[in-house]
Amino acid sequence: MVKICCIGAGYVGGPTMAVIALKCPSVEVAVVDISVPRITAWNSDQLPIYEPGLDDVVKQCRGKNLFFSTDVEKHVREADIVFVSVNTPTKTRGLGAGKAADLTYWESAARMIADVSVSDKIVVEKSTVPVKTAEAIEKILMHNSKGIKFQILSNPEFLAEGTAIEDLFYPDRVLIGGRETPEGFKAVKALKDVYAQWVPEDRILTTNLWSAELTKLAANAFLAQRISSVNAMSALCEATGANVSEVSYAVGKDSRIGPKFLNSSVGFGGSCFQKDILNLVYICECNGLPEVAEYWKQVIKINDYQKTRFVNRIVSSMFNTVSNKKIAVLGFAFKKDTGDTRETPAIDVCKGLLGDKARISIYDPQVTEEQIQRDLTMNKFDWDHPIHLQPMSPTTVKQVSVAWDAYAATKDAHGICLLTEWDEFKTLDYERIFENMQKPAFVFDGRNVVDAEKLRKIGFIVYSIGKPLDQWLKDMPALA
Ligand code: NAD
Ligand code: UDX
């Protein structure tokens, strides 16, 4: 029986390994982590992450060929294939701070693999890492190997949160990069055989190590660039009376462009896009390519601009001040169908409103109060460095409350911000909400989820990203 061990039981390690266990009954999969609460949750009925379909998959395999454990060394020692799926956040200190990937967790995992191994192993980079990381990992493993042979593969993960199980069941492609040597090809084949149990062969791509590593950064940069492109257009749409939904629909009809990933929004969030682009920018700079670095930096700049623009629009529409006004924030997760708040645009929008002394009442169906408070207290990039966490300041505590539903959040509010496209926000009783709000009552739709015309008929003043402005908003232009 082939034994697989995955180091890191997070958003990637957990679902990916659960699907491998489901699709490969003859493989034994152990997912290990240094975090005791995470592993305890994976072994309970309350999994540590919310992901549609994940419960079912875990229930089918857990205890049979899928195990979650904190005994990292034992499972690594016994494994034939070791996936490393630890976090690779943006560095907050030292050389490359604010851009480069922090490989501390990766390096410590690699040293541990070298320390405890007593048999040859394939080590798979599942985390997103800078191109050429495999070379550094090889050095760590070889220098500490006591004669044991390691083959390093790059097998980046392309799943998106909220659709992880679907993406893993039917991936557009699986990418495996390896050394172009007989041992390298043998290792690539061993991993390919695992995926081939459910992924059609023509969707399993094999490349050299550096192409696989770089493809992951490139794919995320291309995806994020589409969002920044459509968001840049949304600003121009508002200025000219064009409608961004009509523009993106018509643009996406060109088969060379395609319709996906062209939804204008308050900005992209999530743990990957910003981190991976900053990492790409840093790699370009280190390779003496400042023009290329500058090009990709713009994707982040437009994303930041879009969030600032949204906050400015709220403040200017509400007579240039939100001081002491209650603003309801509907949705805090970075997208629907996940409870993940890493780099969610809601953090920047809420911080912007708090900076203008608003009182905010937040409701999200999947995000806990504790998480929201932590997010609003943290400095940029600190979320993945637990050591830097601080308690919430007393002023922030007074200004922020978390509500149990959208009706409680919007009661007596002056304005509503829609920041996550949860389906339930489309079908709220907006007449009831309007009745219970201060007047004039505003809706700022950062995801284009509500029917603006219907809401205007009720009496709301509505701002929808990238859509023609009504007279009120035209009379109160947002200043950058
Ligand atoms: P995560 O923070 O959810 O999980 C990482 C886990 O690794 C944590 O539970 C942490 O405790 C554990 N860990 C860290 N060091 C360890 C060690 N030395 N030994 C054992 N466990 C250790 O992160 P994630 O979202 O799963 O992302 C993991 C990697 O996958 C990152 O490189 C990320 O860029 C990449 N990725 C993420 C996504 C996504 O949607 N989240 C998609 C594709 C790729
Ligand atoms: C992304 C990549 O899609 C995935 O392939 C990679 O493995 C990890 O990073 P994820 O961050 O989980 O996945 O979600 P994604 O669906 O890409 O959304 C990222 C952000 O972009 C979200 O905030 C989302 O709301 C936003 N978005 C997405 C838009 O604003 N407009 C769109 O058209 C699409």
Side-chain angles (χ1 to χ4, degrees):
M1 198 178 204
V2 174
K3 284 195 175 183
I4 288 181
C5 172
C6 176
I7 305 176
Y11 286 87
V12 168
T16 312
M17 292 303 124
V19 168
I20 290 185
L22 182 76
K23 299 291 186 181
C24 311
S26 64
V27 173
E28 188 180 295
V29 183
V31 191
V32 297
D33 204 294
I34 42 175
S35 161
V36 176
R38 259 215 164 153
I39 291 298
T40 307
W42 278 111
N43 282 319
S44 75
D45 285 338
Q46 198 65 48
L47 299 184
I49 59 177
Y50 171 70
E51 192 62 59
L54 178 64
D55 272 32
D56 257 13
V57 177
V58 170
K59 272 190 195 130
Q60 285 183 62
C61 320
R62 196 171 54 194
K64 291 182 192 147
N65 67 332
L66 176 66
F67 303 92
F68 295 94
S69 169
T70 48
D71 197 344
V72 181
E73 297 189 358
K74 169 181 176 284
H75 289 286
V76 168
R77 192 179 305 117
E78 290 173 356
D80 307 296
I81 304 177
V82 180
F83 284 83
V84 183
S85 186
V86 300
N87 34 333
T88 49
T90 306
K91 271 182 91 168
T92 51
R93 316 239 157 123
L95 191 65
K99 273 187 270 189
D102 182 348
L103 294 178
T104 316
Y105 305 100
W106 228 110
E107 186 175 336
S108 97
R111 287 183 188 280
M112 184 270 301
I113 297 170
D115 278 352
V116 305
S117 292
V118 289
S119 58
D120 295 353
K121 295 193 192 313
I122 297 172
V123 177
V124 185
E125 287 177 349
K126 194 45 137 174
S127 303
T128 304
V129 290
V131 57
K132 289 279 183 182
T133 297
E135 199 168 64
I137 300 304
E138 263 174 1
K139 284 191 179 125
I140 293 171
L141 292 173
M142 301 312 174
H143 277 86
N144 299 285
S145 77
K146 302 158 284 190
I148 291 159
K149 294 202 177 66
F150 295 102
Q151 274 302 316
I152 322 292
L153 300 179
S154 165
N155 171 222
E157 184 48 60
F158 296 103
L159 68 78
E161 288 176 33
T163 54
I165 298 300
E166 187 78 2
D167 295 342
L168 289 163
F169 277 10
Y170 310 104
D172 286 344
R173 77 314 208 175
V174 165
L175 179 60
I176 306 174
R179 283 277 181 203
E180 292 163 301
T181 59
E183 299 79 18
F185 291 131
K186 201 172 148 207
V188 169
K189 180 169 183 315
L191 187 57
K192 196 173 167 183
D193 287 347
V194 172
Y195 284 108
Q197 298 202 37
W198 81 97
V199 180
E201 194 121 345
D202 61 351
R203 293 196 172 206
I204 307 179
L205 315 181
T206 57
T207 63
N208 76 30
L209 271 172
W210 324 130
S211 303
E213 287 179 336
L214 187 55
T215 297
K216 177 65 203 177
L217 297 179
N220 274 353
F222 277 48
L223 287 168
Q225 182 203 45
R226 277 174 81 92
I227 302 168
S228 279
S229 297
V230 77
N231 281 344
M233 285 300 159
S234 75
L236 191 54
C237 285
E238 288 167 29
T240 57
N243 178 329
V244 75
S245 299
E246 292 174 355
V247 172
S248 64
Y249 179 76
V251 167
K253 277 286 174 191
D254 186 323
S255 60
R256 294 168 301 177
I257 296 171
K260 293 184 185 168
F261 247 71
L262 287 178
N263 292 323
S264 179
S265 65
V266 58
F268 59 73
S271 62
C272 294
F273 283 170
Q274 175 171 279
K275 161 176 86 74
D276 294 347
I277 293 175
L278 289 171
N279 183 359
L280 185 65
V281 165
Y282 185 69
I283 295 167
C284 293
E285 286 170 352
C286 292
N287 280 281
L289 302 168
E291 289 82 1
V292 186
E294 214 38 56
Y295 174 76
W296 288 111
K297 232 188 248 174
Q298 285 302 321
V299 174
I300 306 272
K301 280 194 185 161
I302 287 289
N303 201 46
D304 288 339
Y305 165 73
Q306 189 75 344
K307 291 181 275 190
T308 309
R309 207 167 74 75
F310 190 77
V311 173
N312 290 351
R313 176 69 74 187
I314 297 170
V315 177
S316 63
S317 313
M318 298 174 82
F319 315 103
N320 262 329
T321 176
V322 288
S323 178
N324 211 27
K325 288 178 186 163
K326 178 176 172 182
I327 311 278
V329 170
L330 300 188
F332 199 80
F334 82 99
K335 64 188 278 197
K336 73 170 183 177
D337 290 338
T338 177
D340 195 352
T341 60
R342 296 179 291 179
E343 293 295 344
T344 176
I347 295 177
D348 292 307
V349 171
C350 288
K351 283 187 172 172
L353 294 172
L354 291 171
D356 234 281
K357 299 211 180 85
R359 289 181 292 121
I360 53 178
S361 179
I362 304 170
Y363 165 67
D364 187 290
Q366 283 297 332
V367 184
T368 62
E369 177 163 4
E370 192 197 355
Q371 183 63 49
I372 289 172
Q373 290 188 346
R374 211 178 309 141
D375 286 335
L376 293 179
T377 314
M378 271 185 279
N379 292 324
K380 213 168 162 57
F381 305 126
D382 274 359
W383 50 267
D384 219 353
H385 300 266
I387 217 167
H388 302 160
L389 299 187
Q390 298 150 4
M392 207 171 180
S393 83
T395 342
T396 313
V397 169
K398 262 202 230 150
Q399 281 176 273
V400 178
S401 64
V402 175
W404 286 107
D405 69 9
Y407 298 102
T410 52
K411 192 167 178 337
D412 293 325
H414 291 77
I416 301 174
C417 300
L418 286 143
L419 300 184
T420 313
E421 71 282 21
W422 287 104
D423 290 335
E424 66 178 71
F425 298 155
K426 290 183 191 153
T427 53
L428 291 171
D429 181 348
Y430 282 99
E431 297 205 4
R432 176 180 157 197
I433 288 176
F434 182 76
E435 289 306 312
N436 289 326
M437 283 178 66
Q438 305 281 337
K439 309 294 175 322
F442 296 84
V443 170
F444 302 94
D445 186 356
R447 298 285 183 171
N448 285 329
V449 280
V450 294
D451 181 340
E453 278 320 307
K454 222 165 118 187
L455 263 58
R456 284 189 186 117
K457 280 196 189 116
I458 295 173
F460 285 103
I461 294 160
V462 186
Y463 165 72
S464 310
I465 288 264
K467 300 289 178 78
L469 303 176
D470 57 20
Q471 199 52 48
W472 183 289
L473 299 166
K474 279 187 197 156
D475 291 343
M476 304 226 171
L479 302 172

